[in-house]
Amino acid sequence: MLAATVLLGLVTVSVASEGAKWKYGETDSHGYGPPDWGKVSKYCDFTAQSPIDIETASVKKDANLKELRFTADNENGKVSGVIKNNGHAPTLAINKLKGKASLTGGPLGDSVYMLQQFHFHFGCDESEGSEHLVNGKAYPGELHLVTYNTKYSDFDTAASRSDGLAVIGVFFEKKKKGEKGQGKKHYKAVRKLHSALRKLENVGDETSVKNIKLFDLVPELTDLSSFYSYKGSLTTPPCYQSVSWIVLKEPIKFHKSAFGAMRKLKNGEGGLMCGNFRPPQTLNGRVVSEFDR
């Protein structure tokens, strides 16, 4: 029996399939690792899976993507909610009564996708951490802004539908000493997240976060002018192939201390959470589109 519940991943969805448990790393007594996720959900062995390695030499330029828009019901894109260590990723569930944001246009057409949550994937050092790669290169981490198609009654209903989800992937990397970076407003938003992450060391820990300014955290959201797009899946079980991916080209910068806070978080097996990324999956003939204004 397959049951979707809000938990995490590419979305916060997990699977209960005859008691099977999934995890990152090698398959062991704690659960199935990524190569064996097909034993948790059959969809994880399907042919349009995510993440992927984006090979820029083979992407297709698409001017029709220019109308993609991320909007909010307030000027700064402020959202609030509860961020939790669920054992797989620090995940902030959006309180839509205190600020909503949505995505429409481009590959999504006239459909409107509402922001449900965002979460982080990250490595134990600077050499890896992002789920998507670009020409074989990994970033130290990747932020996922998860939205669902509002033509469905709720997120759980949309999660398994072919047009149910759209996710914005944002690479992040450590700010180098002396580097100009992305301005005071950006780092103020990062510091607010950093303060919250410090309270999430153990599984089940959670804390409220108020007024995260998404347009400060991810400046590219104000003008989606440089990104890749393709059709794929959740990057965790149940691996539904229901996601329109928008992967921004421009990474955001995190201070060293923010990485330190994330790398102290513990996972559901009692170890460190860092390394919570799925390896790249085969493209299998899918087209990756590119837009640059």
Side-chain angles (χ1 to χ4, degrees):
M1 173 179 165
L2 200 60
T5 59
V6 172
L7 177 66
L8 111 92
L10 206 170
V11 308
T12 53
V13 176
S14 68
V15 152
S17 178
E18 298 180 358
K21 294 182 180 180
W22 63 271
K23 60 186 285 292
Y24 294 100
E26 301 294 327
T27 296
D28 58 26
S29 60
H30 292 290
Y32 292 109
D36 297 312
W37 282 355
K39 297 175 182 177
V40 179
S41 170
K42 64 181 181 180
Y43 300 102
C44 298
D45 286 336
F46 280 22
T47 59
Q49 291 289 292
S50 297
I52 61 170
D53 182 359
I54 299 169
E55 297 180 355
T56 58
S58 60
V59 300
K60 178 183 177 182
K61 298 280 186 180
D62 190 346
N64 293 324
L65 299 179
K66 66 181 179 180
E67 299 300 328
L68 184 65
R69 302 179 302 280
F70 185 87
T71 58
D73 62 2
N74 58 72
E75 182 179 358
N76 297 307
K78 289 189 294 187
V79 295
S80 301
V82 173
I83 189 168
K84 182 176 182 178
N85 177 342
N86 57 32
H88 298 288
T91 302
L92 190 146
I94 303 298
N95 182 338
K96 300 182 186 67
L97 298 177
K98 297 185 177 181
K100 293 182 288 187
S102 61
L103 185 66
T104 190
L108 309 178
D110 294 330
S111 297
V112 176
Y113 288 69
M114 183 73 66
L115 182 65
Q116 175 76 9
Q117 57 103 315
F118 63 79
H119 61 268
F120 302 90
H121 299 269
F122 49 94
C124 297
D125 57 42
E126 305 305 308
S127 66
E128 60 182 9
S130 64
E131 296 217 293
H132 289 90
L133 310 182
V134 179
N135 296 326
K137 175 189 173 181
Y139 287 83
E142 187 171 338
L143 164 67
H144 289 165
L145 296 148
V146 183
T147 72
Y148 73 95
N149 194 332
T150 57
K151 82 177 191 180
Y152 300 110
S153 59
D154 54 40
F155 176 82
D156 288 342
T157 302
S160 62
R161 308 301 176 89
S162 62
D163 61 348
L165 304 176
V167 179
I168 301 174
V170 187
F171 298 121
F172 58 88
E173 59 188 2
K174 186 171 69 175
K175 180 180 180 294
K176 298 177 182 177
K177 187 176 181 179
E179 189 175 19
K180 184 177 180 180
Q182 292 162 310
K184 292 182 179 179
K185 290 183 178 180
H186 168 71
Y187 289 110
K188 186 175 181 179
V190 171
R191 284 196 299 270
K192 184 171 284 191
L193 282 174
H194 173 209
S195 296
L197 289 167
R198 293 174 61 187
K199 302 175 184 178
L200 305 179
E201 183 171 339
N202 298 304
V203 176
D205 288 349
E206 62 181 50
T207 188
S208 295
V209 180
K210 296 181 179 179
N211 298 327
I212 289 286
K213 297 179 180 179
L214 294 177
F215 295 147
D216 291 345
L217 180 65
V218 186
E220 288 289 309
L221 292 176
T222 61
D223 180 18
L224 292 168
S225 60
S226 185
F227 59 88
Y228 304 103
S229 179
Y230 76 99
K231 187 66 177 177
S233 75
L234 311 182
T235 64
T236 61
C239 305
Y240 294 138
Q241 295 182 166
S242 58
V243 181
S244 292
W245 275 98
I246 310 296
V247 181
L248 304 189
K249 292 185 179 182
E250 183 69 23
I252 58 176
K253 304 289 185 178
F254 278 13
H255 283 295
K256 180 180 179 180
S257 57
F259 279 100
M262 283 190 285
R263 290 170 181 161
K264 290 179 181 178
L265 303 185
K266 296 177 182 177
N267 61 25
E269 294 78 57
L272 293 177
M273 181 184 290
C274 60
N276 62 339
F277 55 90
R278 187 187 193 186
Q281 305 296 296
T282 305
L283 195 57
N284 289 322
R286 285 175 287 169
V287 173
V288 180
S289 299
E290 176 186 33
F291 178 72
D292 274 307
R293 183 172 294 145

